[in-house]
Structures are given as C-alpha cells and as structure tokens.
Amino acid sequence: MKILLVGATGSIGEVVYEELKNDAEIIQASRNSSEYPIDITSEESIKALFEKVGEVDAIICAAGSAHFATVDELTPEQNMIAVNSKQLGQVNLVLIGLHYLKDHGSITLTTGVLMDDPLKTASSSAMANGGVSAFVKSAAIEMPRGIRINHVSPSMLEKSKEKYGKLFQGFQPVSSERIGLAYRKSVFGAQTGQGYKVY
C-alpha cells in the first residue's frame, strides 16, 4: 500500500507515520519538505505534488493552520487563514487527489475537538473543523469508484501538553496510540463518512 501523508512533520503527522510505517510505503509531504513539498493553500502546489507522487492507495491530511483570537479581535483576514488552510486546503486536497487515488482507496482528513468543545480564541479553528466534518459526511455518499472518506477529530496530544496545556484547561490529554489507531481505522477499515473523535 502506498500512502500520501500530508503534514507529516507536525505533531499529528508524526503519530500517524509511527502507527502506519510498518504496514505501508508512506510518502511524507509537508510545507518544508525538500523531497515532497506542499502548501495546501495553493491548488498549484497540490497538483504539483500529485504529479510527482502519482497514484496512491490512500491520502491522509494532518495539515492545516488557523489564527487564534477572540471574536471581537478576529479580523476577516485572520479568519481566512483557517478558511484557506484548514478548510479549503483539505477540501482541495480531496478534489484534486481523487484523480490520483486508486479504486477503493481512502481519504482521511483532520478536524479537532474545538468544533465540539469550544475554547476562547478558537472560533475560527472550530468553524474550519466543522466545515470539514460536514464536507466529509456529505461527500461520502457520492465518492466514485468505491473510495472512502473519513475525518479524525483529536483532542490535545499527551506529548503536546507542555506546549498547549494552558490553552486546553481541563481537557484530558489523549495518547498517541489512541490517535494513531483512529487513523489506522480510517485507512484500513471499511467505514466511510465517519468522524472518529478521540477525546
């Protein structure tokens, strides 16, 4: 199996790679990769990556940015960071990637706990996550060629507690193992249109 992992160098991407590396050939793409660079806010960049990689059995996206600010401070320009990256970036990865995905392949996108359990300053991120979740649910009923699509919605990683713990007050950190297994279920399982919440 050949898997394209977008956002491979991020916290979630690293977890996914460690979970799946023994079961598949994993192409590690990221913004700063010298071999497989990608900027998911750019359609041209997405197309260029797929032209280089060719056909794959699965696509996983663990990339996406958002600006954190209270609603009264958030500007339309800052809000567009999440729209262009976390939301449209992942959707465009699907729309373009479908043409490079083998029959009965799978796509796994990444959302997050903030769409269900709000935090101050996180409305833009929550909006993008919710949009991706709705897209997955709707797109699943019309995916061609037996292709499946799901999303994983993780909470704060245990290994990220020191960095983000002050923001996620009262949240139970989640193990890398549990998050990795959610991506494994999406890639190697049979379900589609699902949101695997790891809270």
Side-chain angles (χ1 to χ4, degrees):
M1 177 179 276
K2 184 177 177 182
I3 299 174
L4 173 62
L5 174 58
V6 176
T9 57
S11 298
I12 299 293
E14 290 175 351
V15 168
V16 175
Y17 177 76
E18 287 300 316
E19 176 64 36
L20 303 181
K21 66 181 182 181
N22 295 326
D23 300 300
E25 173 193 354
I26 301 181
I27 298 163
Q28 300 181 74
S30 66
R31 182 186 293 272
N32 298 317
S33 172
S34 56
E35 189 172 6
Y36 297 108
I38 183 172
D39 174 4
I40 63 171
T41 67
S42 165
E43 292 177 43
E44 291 74 21
S45 178
I46 295 172
K47 290 174 183 175
L49 176 65
F50 278 110
E51 283 297 312
K52 183 173 185 178
V53 170
E55 269 198 332
V56 294
D57 297 284
I59 299 167
I60 301 172
C61 185
S65 302
H67 183 80
F68 284 74
T70 58
V71 172
D72 61 333
E73 295 176 337
L74 186 68
T75 66
E77 292 77 16
Q78 291 169 338
N79 188 52
M80 288 304 295
I81 294 171
V83 172
N84 288 328
S85 179
K86 185 77 171 178
Q87 188 169 344
L88 291 182
Q90 294 200 89
V91 170
N92 287 339
L93 195 68
V94 173
L95 301 181
I96 296 167
L98 273 176
H99 304 288
Y100 297 86
L101 198 57
K102 293 181 182 178
D103 292 356
H104 306 288
S106 75
I107 301 170
T108 307
L109 305 181
T110 300
T111 54
V113 67
L114 299 179
M115 67 179 179
D116 293 317
D117 200 350
L119 287 179
K120 288 182 178 179
T121 75
S123 58
S124 188
S125 178
M127 171 204 65
N129 287 337
V132 171
S133 174
F135 173 79
V136 165
K137 186 176 182 179
S138 184
I141 67 173
E142 51 191 29
M143 280 285 159
R145 300 182 286 111
I147 292 170
R148 299 179 300 105
I149 182 169
N150 300 297
H151 70 94
V152 175
S153 178
S155 188
M156 177 182 61
L157 273 164
E158 283 180 350
K159 68 177 185 176
S160 301
K161 184 177 179 181
E162 187 173 332
K163 186 175 182 181
Y164 297 113
K166 288 185 178 179
L167 178 64
F168 287 85
Q169 294 288 340
F171 283 69
Q172 178 69 46
V174 179
S175 69
S176 296
E177 180 183 13
R178 284 189 61 206
I179 291 176
L181 287 173
Y183 285 89
R184 175 177 288 277
K185 179 184 283 189
S186 181
V187 173
F188 292 102
Q191 298 175 349
T192 189
Q194 300 299 305
Y196 301 115
K197 297 179 178 181
V198 191
Y199 303 164

